[in-house]
Amino acid sequence: MDTITAKLDPRTRVGWLLLGFALGGFFDGIVLHQILQWHHLLSGLADPAGSDLRFQIMADGLFHLFMYVLAVAGTVLLVAARAAGRRDVTTTEILRLAFIGFGVWHLVDAIVFHWLLGLHRIKMNSHMPLPWDIGWLVIFGIVPLLLVLVLPNRGGPPAGASAALTSIVLLAGLAAGAGPLFNGAATSVIVFRAGMQPAAMMQAVQAADADLKWVDASGTIWGVDRVSWRGLMTLHARGALVVGTTPVIAGCLAWTDAAGASSRSYQQ
């Protein structure tokens, strides 16, 4: 890190590192957990937790919440440094610190979560997961750290880069819960109350004019054709806790399909 960056207020330095780290977490969560559905955060756990869709979705949601807390903490530090009259950070410094945070997240994810703890792998259903782990680490972990070394030293004001990157990170957190708005999901995932009888759940689905596609191994998580607003209200009135058609509320649930949900899910 150059001498200019070294003179930054510690709150500024840590703030941008946290934002870059959080952006790395959001990137992995949105792309791998939701769009590609290659794994959940805790897919590597042994059964029954490993095949419990309700538990896996909750873990993904808590992961995104933690990343959002880090992003907000980083923003607070940046605001505090600016309020204290510290010198403005340059565009190069912002990019360097954000790239460091982004790359460090992927190093931590690969070394700690993939290889030491075995919580998940990049592509869980691959017969050779290691090449996928290494490829993802090189592209999104090593390359950003190498970019830090080659970025040119330029002073001057950031010309909007600060607000732009902060907005990207915070909006990424919101995007983590807005699945159907982006991918036009054709399946709505319903989580019913624990203890409901299968007949009562089927009656709720039929009353909502939805067609069943699959049921999770727990028997309380159902995948159906996309639900109308009237059907949404009907399902909640008849015992549904969460319906994936409501994206921000449903979060990671809104992206789930039968193939990525659980090894014990089955098609209807």
Side-chain angles (χ1 to χ4, degrees):
M1 203 174 298
D2 60 25
T3 56
I4 296 178
T5 303
K7 295 177 182 178
L8 282 175
D9 182 278
R11 289 170 295 188
T12 300
R13 189 181 304 114
V14 173
W16 284 114
L17 288 172
L18 284 176
L19 284 175
F21 190 89
L23 184 59
F26 284 138
F27 176 79
D28 277 12
I30 293 170
V31 174
L32 294 173
H33 299 181
Q34 300 175 335
I35 296 176
L36 297 177
Q37 297 187 25
W38 284 356
H39 67 254
H40 290 289
L41 177 67
L42 302 179
S43 291
L45 295 183
D47 288 344
S51 59
D52 186 339
L53 179 57
R54 185 189 295 265
F55 173 77
Q56 294 290 345
I57 291 171
M58 180 189 69
D60 285 350
L62 291 175
F63 167 74
H64 284 127
L65 178 62
F66 177 66
M67 289 298 154
Y68 207 82
V69 168
L70 291 183
V72 171
T75 303
V76 170
L77 289 173
L78 294 175
V79 171
R82 187 173 182 84
R86 304 305 182 187
R87 76 167 178 83
D88 288 336
V89 63
T90 67
T91 300
T92 296
E93 290 168 340
I94 290 174
L95 292 176
R96 282 182 174 169
L97 291 167
F99 277 142
I100 290 173
F102 190 90
V104 166
W105 156 254
H106 287 89
L107 286 174
V108 171
D109 187 39
I111 296 172
V112 177
F113 297 149
H114 297 175
W115 302 331
L116 293 181
L117 299 180
L119 297 182
H120 62 262
R121 308 298 290 269
I122 289 296
K123 196 168 186 180
M124 289 296 297
N125 63 354
S126 172
H127 295 297
M128 298 180 63
L130 185 59
W132 289 96
D133 291 349
I134 294 176
W136 196 269
L137 173 61
V138 170
I139 296 172
F140 298 110
I142 304 301
V143 170
L145 295 176
L146 292 178
L147 288 176
V148 173
L149 303 177
V150 300
L151 282 174
N153 293 319
R154 293 179 180 174
S162 176
L165 184 56
T166 303
S167 299
I168 288 172
V169 176
L170 296 179
L171 288 174
L174 296 178
L181 295 179
F182 297 99
N183 73 344
T187 300
S188 292
V189 181
I190 307 166
V191 179
F192 287 102
R193 291 196 311 265
M196 282 188 65
Q197 295 299 314
M201 290 184 277
M202 177 58 78
Q203 290 172 0
V205 170
Q206 291 174 339
D209 295 325
D211 294 325
L212 180 64
K213 288 188 172 182
W214 54 266
V215 179
D216 176 72
S218 69
T220 61
I221 302 178
W222 294 41
V224 302
D225 283 340
R226 197 165 172 82
V227 177
S228 66
W229 286 108
R230 185 196 67 79
L232 177 67
M233 292 185 287
T234 300
L235 287 168
H236 282 296
R238 289 175 172 258
L241 296 177
V242 180
V243 182
T245 305
T246 50
V248 174
I249 297 174
C252 294
L253 181 65
W255 297 85
T256 303
D257 62 21
S262 166
S263 59
R264 295 183 181 178
S265 295
Y266 59 88
Q267 297 285 345
Q268 296 291 320

